[in-house]
Amino acid sequence: MKVLVPVKRVIDYNVKVRVKSDHTGVDLANVKMSMNPFDEIAVEEAIRLKESGTATEVVAVSIGPEKAQDQIRQALAMGADRGLLIKTDAEVEPLGVAKLLKAVVEAEQCELVILGKQAIDDDSNQTGQMLAAMLGWPQGTFASKVSKEGDKLSVTREIDGGLQTITLNLPAIVTTDLRLNEPRYASLPNIMKAKKKPLDVKEASEYGVDIAPRLEVLKVTEPPKREAGVKVENVAQLVEKLKNEAGVI
């Protein structure tokens, strides 16, 4: 079973995001970039499936600028077999990403796609669902446990009321949640080996799909700063402020 794992280049989660002075977007100059944390979990799960003998090959794919090769190399260092970069400097929305991934899935003849449930930059949480709809495949979103049982895939997913276990016919789409696993750190020998693993680079235009944006960003601003709270002397004063100042009771 060949597994495809999309990985996205995002601003590192430890970095404070800065808005450009002209409010046209986020400032990426001299900012540390890394693999989307949810995608790291997806890579780890795909590698575990290979280590257990369930998967035969793990292919990491990224859509983005030339520097997105760094995130693919990280996936290769973790244990993926080969990488593919679909190069574009344009901002690609989830629908465009799903269209490109559909073309890759059909070209690679993958049986399983594992991807993060969302990216921490736009928090769209749409790509996996759109890809499943386009391919006509079953999907298991927000997975906290994945196992192959015969020719089917068992996925335990996190829902508002607790956990839900579903069975999917293969081929299928799985999106990963935080509690699925703990991604491994790539060792130095594996990082060196990753440099020799195959990594193909293709232009987004080669796939013949429309990835033009459907949305227009008018303005990007930072959230307002939170005002300091106040201490109250007693419950009566708290109730008075909630009633007359906050207007919540």
Side-chain angles (χ1 to χ4, degrees), residues 89-210:
D89 291 323
E91 194 74 30
V92 185
E93 295 174 354
L95 179 60
V97 173
K99 289 180 179 179
L100 288 171
L101 291 179
K102 177 178 181 290
V104 173
V105 168
E106 292 172 345
E108 293 284 348
Q109 294 296 299
C110 303
E111 293 181 71
L112 177 63
V113 181
I114 306 179
L115 65 162
K117 69 171 185 176
Q118 65 195 77
I120 62 172
D121 53 359
D122 57 18
D123 279 328
S124 293
N125 185 11
Q126 296 175 340
T127 303
Q129 293 89 329
M130 288 179 172
L131 180 60
M134 289 179 180
L135 290 169
W137 289 6
Q139 58 181 307
T141 56
F142 319 131
S144 62
K145 184 179 178 182
V146 177
S147 61
K148 190 169 185 289
E149 299 175 357
D151 58 348
K152 298 181 184 294
L153 205 67
S154 175
V155 177
T156 300
R157 53 192 305 269
E158 299 192 359
I159 59 175
D160 291 341
L163 298 176
Q164 178 188 56
T165 301
I166 59 176
T167 301
L168 307 178
N169 293 319
L170 292 169
I173 307 291
V174 173
T175 71
T176 61
D177 215 329
L178 284 174
R179 281 156 288 278
L180 179 58
N181 60 51
E182 183 71 30
R184 69 192 68 187
Y185 287 101
S187 64
L188 182 57
N190 286 336
I191 292 173
M192 301 306 292
K193 290 177 183 178
K195 295 180 179 180
K196 298 181 179 179
K197 289 184 178 181
L199 197 167
D200 296 328
V201 179
K202 295 186 178 182
E203 297 288 339
S205 57
E206 295 182 41
Y207 290 90
V209 298
D210 178 19

Side-chain angles (χ1 to χ4, degrees), residues 235-249:
V235 174
Q237 189 178 355
L238 173 62
V239 172
E240 188 272 331
K241 285 185 175 294
L242 290 175
K243 184 176 180 180
N244 299 323
E245 293 184 19
V248 295
I249 58 174

